[in-house]
Amino acid sequence: MKRRNPMDRESLITGCWIHGREVVTHRFWSVEDPAERAVIARVHTASEEEVNQAVCSSAQAFANWRMLSPEKRSELIKKWAELLKRNAERLSEVLSLEVGKPIRSARSEVVSAADFLDYCATEGIRISARYSDSGFIVIREPVGICGIITPYNYPLSTLAVKVGPALMAGCTAIVKPDEHTPLSSLMAAKLALDAGIPPGVINVLCGPGEEAGRLLVRHPSVRLISFTGSTKVGKEIYAECSAYIKRVILELGGNCPAIIASDASWERHLDSITQQTFKNTGQYCYRITRIIVHKSIYESFTARFVEKTRNLRVGNPKSEETQLGPLNNLKIYENFRRQILSVLEHGGEMLLGEVPEETPSGGYFVRPVVFRNVPTSARIGFQEYFGPVAFIIPFSDDDEALELANDTIFGLAAYIFTEDYRRALRWSRNIEAGSIWVNRIHQARFDAPFGGFKQSGIGREKSLHGIEAFTELKTLYFKLDGDHR
């Protein structure tokens, strides 16, 4: 039996998705396969007209969606999750093509997105009112229409982490996916309609952030913006939202440290440290960027880490054996190249890798890069590296390790490896980061809040806190019969 090509036109939605139907426009954006630099789809992009249509649709749907019981919303979201799983292979193929993500990683992302929606549908029922015997009730109500702006690196799982809580809270969502990776989001929106989620509850607008995204952020009827992306763009969105005092949830850049103490069982964790450094070709907000290693084990750790990194398999995302695919687009590729050149110009010693060629001859492939002896003048903690690079830094004592870990404008995540629990607790209390892993690395849990300190963002996603972020508190004062106060 012939396998269906995921890019067959009849199997794709390439228009904006507004009120349960595909809307075509007269403007286009070419979606590229970053592994081959070939156009795989031409997507219709939104103008002010389509943004207004989506907002009107969301407002109409909100009036009814907010009145559904939490149990009914939960039932529909669970059906949506089930359809994502039923269509997992097709979704995975599209994700792999548009992101450049290895196919095994793409499958994992689809499952993770569906599992999170299942979690959200269960946890969201627990949002409750607070009753007082003093004559008042505190309730939570949905914020309203939410603008959801998602990144290219994890388009489907990020959509789930934002749209699931919004819907469970009773809000409606207008999704603006990254212009390079809209296809999986459009497919997910269609599957939501197939699951019984009413038209207008989820709309999708395609196009560049400078156009469609800015129009969505500026629309006065949109009450909340949830954005995952760079700190630079997050600041712009924050400023735009201030004009209307809009609620914001910003999950921004990272430059995450891993501290490896002299007593750490680092050999046991080396595989997971390497994976967390280079996963998704380094296009990952809470990946390890700076590895801070005690000087007594610095040379041995560095040698083994470089060896592990050298053996990572870079190649075609369609291959089951590939571990690292290409970078997603030319802008990311060129920025990564500039960053590598800058570190070399400041005197950093490249232990592994090479400077990406100025003009890529094929796809946007780059080899993993490992640096050491990088001077402080390079200020490596003050920018996000969205590509496969690691910096190995020695330290002498616990205080120096803390100072190095916190020498950054970011504070998304950190990793600690030591057998001394007192040291682990002290470092954990003093590292400025929203999530810290001690002697383990795994995906951030659904039932734990996730977000950053400093310039890594505002607010928290996941867990009950992430659902409540899409609600407003309202206090009701009652005077009951027989109450003479």
Side-chain angles (χ1 to χ4, degrees):
M1 181 177 177
K2 186 178 179 181
R3 190 178 186 182
R4 170 188 257 184
N5 182 343
M7 292 296 110
D8 286 345
R9 178 61 187 89
E10 68 270 14
S11 71
L12 283 180
I13 298 167
T14 56
C16 296
W17 184 258
I18 301 174
H19 214 72
R21 65 184 183 89
E22 187 175 4
V23 174
V24 299
T25 69
H26 300 293
R27 304 190 308 170
F28 297 91
W29 178 275
S30 294
V31 178
E32 190 179 51
D33 171 4
E36 299 182 5
R37 298 179 64 196
V39 173
I40 54 176
R42 295 183 73 222
V43 173
H44 299 261
T45 62
S47 66
E48 186 172 7
E49 179 182 356
E50 286 74 43
V51 174
N52 288 334
Q53 287 178 14
V55 171
C56 288
S57 166
S58 291
Q60 180 182 336
F62 177 64
N64 294 318
W65 182 254
R66 65 173 302 190
M67 300 308 295
L68 289 182
S69 69
E71 290 76 15
K72 182 61 178 178
R73 292 198 294 265
S74 173
E75 176 189 327
L76 294 172
I77 292 170
K78 282 181 178 290
K79 287 181 180 177
W80 184 25
E82 182 182 344
L83 285 184
L84 290 181
K85 289 181 178 178
R86 282 190 202 168
N87 291 270
E89 193 60 24
R90 183 167 160 240
L91 277 165
S92 300
E93 290 171 346
V94 171
L95 262 180
S96 180
L97 275 168
E98 66 177 352
V99 179
K101 190 185 297 282
I103 186 63
R104 289 189 300 167
S105 299
R107 292 189 188 110
S108 176
E109 181 175 349
V110 174
V111 172
S112 178
D115 286 347
F116 181 80
L117 289 175
D118 268 329
Y119 161 80
C120 191
T122 301
E123 185 68 16
I125 295 174
R126 298 191 175 99
I127 293 179
S128 60
R130 185 171 74 84
Y131 300 89
S132 168
D133 59 4
S134 300
F136 69 89
I137 303 172
V138 180
I139 63 173
R140 288 189 177 272
E141 293 190 348
V143 169
I145 302 170
C146 299
I148 306 295
I149 304 177
T150 58
Y152 74 82
N153 56 337
Y154 287 90
L156 195 59
S157 60
T158 310
L159 180 148
V161 165
K162 295 177 183 295
V163 174
L167 267 57
M168 200 58 221
C171 301
T172 52
I174 302 174
V175 180
K176 210 299 289 180
D178 187 282
E179 59 267 29
H180 300 93
T181 55
L183 302 175
S184 54
S185 297
L186 289 163
M187 289 177 65
K190 171 63 166 59
L191 290 172
L193 183 73
D194 294 344
I197 294 176
V201 173
I202 303 174
N203 293 314
V204 181
L205 298 171
C206 302
E210 296 87 348
E211 300 170 17
R214 182 168 280 120
L215 288 167
L216 181 62
V217 168
R218 288 178 173 175
H219 200 291
S221 295
V222 177
R223 297 287 184 86
L224 180 151
I225 297 292
S226 179
F227 168 77
T228 292
S230 72
T231 294
K232 178 180 180 292
V233 175
K235 289 177 179 179
E236 294 173 7
I237 289 173
Y238 197 21
E240 293 275 10
C241 289
S242 69
Y244 296 96
I245 320 295
K246 289 186 185 184
R247 300 272 291 279
V248 293
I249 304 168
L250 303 176
E251 202 272 274
L252 307 178
N255 186 307
C256 305
I259 306 179
I260 303 177
S262 59
D263 65 345
S265 301
W266 60 267
E267 297 97 335
R268 180 157 49 92
H269 300 290
L270 188 59
D271 283 342
S272 58
I273 291 170
T274 306
Q275 286 298 319
Q276 191 69 5
T277 303
F278 297 110
K279 181 179 177 181
N280 207 36
T281 317
Q283 300 165 109
Y284 189 35
C285 59
Y286 64 102
R287 77 177 191 88
I288 296 170
T289 301
R290 294 168 295 132
I291 307 175
I292 302 166
V293 185
H294 191 270
K295 64 181 184 180
S296 67
I297 59 169
Y298 182 80
E299 294 299 334
S300 56
F301 174 87
T302 299
R304 289 286 307 281
F305 179 80
V306 167
E307 179 186 358
K308 282 285 183 184
T309 302
R310 183 181 285 114
N311 292 329
L312 291 172
R313 294 184 296 274
V314 180
N316 192 319
K318 296 174 186 174
S319 170
E320 299 284 347
E321 303 304 314
T322 294
Q323 293 174 287
L324 305 180
L327 295 176
N328 178 257
N329 59 74
L330 182 59
K331 182 178 178 181
I332 297 297
Y333 179 93
E334 290 177 338
N335 186 62
F336 182 70
R337 183 177 186 274
R338 281 193 296 270
Q339 289 177 315
I340 298 303
L341 286 171
S342 176
V343 176
L344 289 171
E345 288 165 4
H346 280 87
E349 179 185 352
M350 184 185 285
L351 296 176
L352 182 69
E354 59 193 14
V355 177
E357 54 188 350
E358 186 171 1
T359 303
S361 55
Y364 302 117
F365 289 96
V366 293
R367 303 293 306 182
V369 177
V370 180
F371 280 107
R372 73 174 178 183
N373 297 332
V374 179
T376 56
S377 60
R379 293 171 63 83
I380 59 173
F382 290 76
Q383 56 186 307
E384 183 174 36
Y385 292 85
F386 235 51
V389 62
F391 303 92
I392 308 181
I393 306 163
F395 75 91
S396 299
D397 56 50
D398 288 4
D399 288 339
E400 184 184 14
L402 270 177
E403 183 180 347
L404 289 167
N406 287 328
D407 188 23
T408 175
I409 61 173
F410 302 105
L412 191 57
Y415 304 83
I416 293 169
F417 296 91
T418 179
E419 297 303 311
D420 184 335
Y421 77 90
R422 292 183 180 86
R423 174 187 288 133
L425 287 173
R426 178 171 177 262
W427 278 347
S428 297
R429 290 294 301 272
N430 288 281
I431 291 175
E432 299 166 335
S435 298
I436 297 177
W437 281 258
V438 179
N439 293 331
R440 64 189 307 187
I441 296 176
H442 56 72
Q443 183 177 344
R445 288 181 58 94
F446 296 161
D447 54 351
F450 183 81
F453 287 18
K454 299 191 281 190
Q455 294 189 37
S456 283
I458 295 173
R460 293 293 182 268
E461 296 186 318
K462 300 186 176 181
S463 78
L464 186 60
H465 299 283
I467 301 172
E468 290 178 341
F470 290 90
T471 66
E472 295 276 18
L473 287 171
K474 178 182 284 185
T475 304
L476 309 179
Y477 293 94
F478 282 91
K479 188 175 188 307
L480 305 174
D481 290 344
D483 184 354
H484 300 295
R485 286 174 292 181

